[in-house]
Every structure is written in structure tokens, then in C-alpha cells.
Amino acid sequence: MILQTCNLCPRQCGALRTEQEGNGFCRMGTLPVVARAALHYWEEPCISGKKGSGAVFFTGCTLQCVFCQNYQISTQRAVGKALTPRQLSNLFFRLIDQGANNINLVSATQFVPAIVEALSFKPLPVPVVYNSGGYESLETLHMLDGLIQIYLPDYKYHDNQLAHQLSGASDYVERSHAAILEMERQTGPCQMDANGILQKGTIVRHLLLPGHTKNSIAALDWLAANLSKGTLVSLMGQYTPCGHVSSYPELMRKVTVREYRKVQQHLFDLGLDGYVQELSSAKKDYIPAFDLTGVETE
Ligand code: SF4
């Protein structure tokens, strides 16, 4: 598959992308590049459950967050194997055979056409999770309508200046608003099975950044005012300095207990339904190794 003018994400690069190479912002070709495919136990309990989520981590990203914990694959694009849509479909079924509760597509935006093809070969017997930074175009989300049962978008910023500074996306706020509303339109309210495993719905994640409680409080206010009933919110305190944060002194430390309690209390005061993460999870141990685990193509 060759894209002469790629406009899959809000960057709208109009880039030329061959199967193996691309000259757009994400620098990726059109064949999906996978850095890791394995059962993953560190998502929200309704996603991971006891059996694990079948996480497929894609290389490259349409955001370039300076604090990215997956910077080895998102920014450096140091690990990854290009797969055909058929090989990707086989990979999904291998994870399902291992007992995965779902197939969890992590940072997949730049490969959506190939993913649509992979999901169209044969219906999966488990839900498909689209795990995204929230920076999506509506046209691309429309391609996924009916193929994705669970959206797991971030809502990182309620401040475009901060989004520009830390992720190079000065239109993040309006793009993510439109994307989140489209995602919950597609999925409807969250529905769990008898074991408490999510089958359908949208969970919006917000990661508290050190020194940025004001951004978090404004983000939660927007979510409380705009989300439909049945869409959940997940507040994450797992920030740990990673990536290229040395130029950002406030990002060189973890979130303090005081910062976390303040934002958590605001979430409770707003009556938002969902999850709050323990601060003790702010460790590098929770960052997966990107070493082509599980990416066999036979
Ligand atoms: S997917 Fe990549 S090439 Fe396409 S518009 Fe986005 S950043 Fe540009």
C-alpha cells in the first residue's frame, strides 16, 4: 500500500509513504511496524483482568511527547518489525490463543489503513481496544467505526501552549475534544461482562504531570462537563522522568503526594466515574521492554 498524500492524523503532512518508508512527521511507512506483542497486565483492571490484555505496541507516533515512557519506539523508532496486514491478523490470533482478554492497539494511528485490513480478514472473538494519545482526526476515526469496541484515549492537555511545548501539537485541545466525543459516539457507554472485563465503551485517561496540577484540574473540568454518562475517566499518577525531559526542570521529578491528592480530590468532587491509579506505580519497572517480544511472523 502506498499513500501519496498521507493525512491520517491532524498533522496532515500530505506525505509520501511507501510500504517501508515515509517522509511525514511520524517518519513511518505504511506497513505496520510492531515493537512488542504480549500479554500486558498494567492497564486498568477492566482491560487487563487476570488474563492480561493482548497489547500490540506500534513503532512511531504522531505526537512527540518529551516525557514519553515509550520513547525508544515512539521517538527513536529504534525497535520494530514491519508486518503485512495478514501477519498482523495472525499476531492478534496468537495473543487470543494465549488467553488475551482483548487486542490492545497501542499508538496505532499512523497504521490505521493496514489495521482496518487486518481486522477485516476474520472477526476477532474478543474486543479490540484502540489505545491512543487522543490526537486523532475524525476521518481516520470514521474508518475504525464498527471495528473498535473500546477506545482508550488520553486527554493530556487543556492548554494548547503546553501541548505545543511538550508534544509539538498546538491544536491538541480541539483535536482531542472532537476525537473523544466521536469515540464515545461509536462505542456508547461502558459495558462489562460478568467477570468485570470491559466489552465496549470509552475510558479517557489523564496523566498528571509534575508541576502541572492547573492543567489537570482544567482537563477534569472539561471531561466532567462534556462526557456522556457511561464514559469512564482514569487518572494516572505513574509519571516517571523518561524520554527527553532534561530541558524541562519541572519534569525531572515524580508527582508529589500533595499534587496527586489535590487532583484526585478534584476528580472526586466532580463525581467522575472511573479509576485512580496508585502513586506507587510510578516506577520504570512498569515500562515494557521493547525487544520484539512476541513479534514472530510464522
Ligand atoms: S500519519 Fe504520519 S505521515 Fe500521516 S499525517 Fe500523520 S504524521 Fe503525517
Side-chain angles (χ1 to χ4, degrees):
M1 181 189 305
I2 293 176
L3 288 174
Q4 295 289 352
T5 50
C6 179
N7 292 306
L8 279 177
C9 81
R11 302 272 173 207
Q12 297 191 307
C13 301
L16 171 66
R17 296 175 67 189
T18 63
E19 286 193 340
Q20 303 284 349
E21 292 181 331
N23 65 0
F25 179 89
C26 66
R27 312 299 304 170
M28 301 309 294
T30 58
L31 282 183
V33 180
V34 176
R36 179 182 169 89
L39 296 178
H40 191 63
Y41 299 92
W42 300 280
E43 308 288 22
E44 285 74 3
C46 67
I47 303 283
S48 290
K50 287 203 175 99
K51 296 195 292 182
S53 175
V56 180
F57 289 87
F58 292 94
T59 301
C61 187
T62 59
L63 286 171
Q64 293 293 301
C65 305
V66 296
F67 52 84
C68 183
Q69 64 176 20
N70 299 342
Y71 66 97
Q72 264 184 296
I73 59 167
S74 61
T75 310
Q76 296 178 340
R77 298 174 285 271
V79 183
K81 183 167 187 174
L83 305 183
T84 63
R86 179 65 72 183
Q87 288 170 327
L88 187 61
S89 171
N90 292 343
L91 190 66
F92 296 160
F93 279 95
R94 264 206 303 280
L95 288 167
I96 292 166
D97 287 347
Q98 290 168 26
N101 284 316
N102 44 56
I103 291 299
N104 182 355
L105 309 171
V106 185
S107 292
T109 313
Q110 60 279 13
F111 303 121
V112 161
I115 286 167
V116 167
E117 198 178 332
L119 291 174
S120 304
F121 289 132
K122 188 172 156 193
L124 303 191
V126 296
V128 182
V129 183
Y130 188 81
N131 189 332
S132 147
Y135 192 56
E136 303 284 350
S137 80
L138 290 180
E139 293 75 14
T140 300
L141 291 177
H142 291 156
M143 293 165 70
L144 295 166
D145 197 355
L147 293 170
I148 301 296
Q149 288 72 48
I150 298 168
Y151 281 104
L152 202 50
D154 293 331
Y155 182 45
K156 295 174 189 285
Y157 310 107
H158 192 77
D159 174 345
N160 273 335
Q161 210 178 335
L162 190 61
H164 174 67
Q165 191 189 4
L166 300 185
S167 297
S170 53
D171 56 352
Y172 181 88
V173 173
E174 53 272 29
R175 295 294 191 168
S176 57
H177 286 178
I180 289 167
L181 297 179
E182 169 61 17
M183 291 172 182
E184 59 171 20
R185 183 198 69 76
Q186 287 186 22
T187 65
C190 284
Q191 290 176 15
M192 312 282 175
D193 70 6
N195 298 316
I197 300 298
L198 190 63
Q199 300 299 302
K200 194 172 175 299
T202 299
I203 302 180
V204 184
R205 289 171 157 177
H206 176 75
L207 173 68
L208 171 56
L209 296 171
H212 291 290
T213 54
K214 210 170 141 188
N215 173 57
S216 293
I217 284 172
L220 294 180
D221 285 341
W222 185 84
L223 294 173
N226 292 280
L227 292 185
S228 303
K229 194 167 163 43
T231 297
L232 303 180
V233 173
S234 177
L235 177 64
M236 301 190 297
Q238 70 185 41
Y239 177 85
T240 194
C242 281
H244 301 96
V245 293
S246 50
S247 311
Y248 302 88
E250 82 275 19
L251 298 181
M252 292 294 286
R253 62 167 174 85
K254 292 181 183 175
V255 167
T256 63
V257 172
R258 189 186 158 94
E259 285 173 321
Y260 195 63
R261 286 208 179 125
K262 183 177 173 184
V263 175
Q264 192 185 52
Q265 188 56 52
H266 194 67
L267 178 138
F268 293 150
D269 291 345
L270 290 168
L272 285 164
D273 200 5
Y275 298 91
V276 289
Q277 192 179 36
E278 295 297 324
L279 267 189
S280 59
S281 51
K283 292 184 203 158
K284 284 193 175 171
D285 311 1
Y286 288 90
I287 301 172
F290 297 110
D291 52 7
L292 295 181
T293 296
V295 194
E296 299 97 25
T297 51
E298 294 312 309

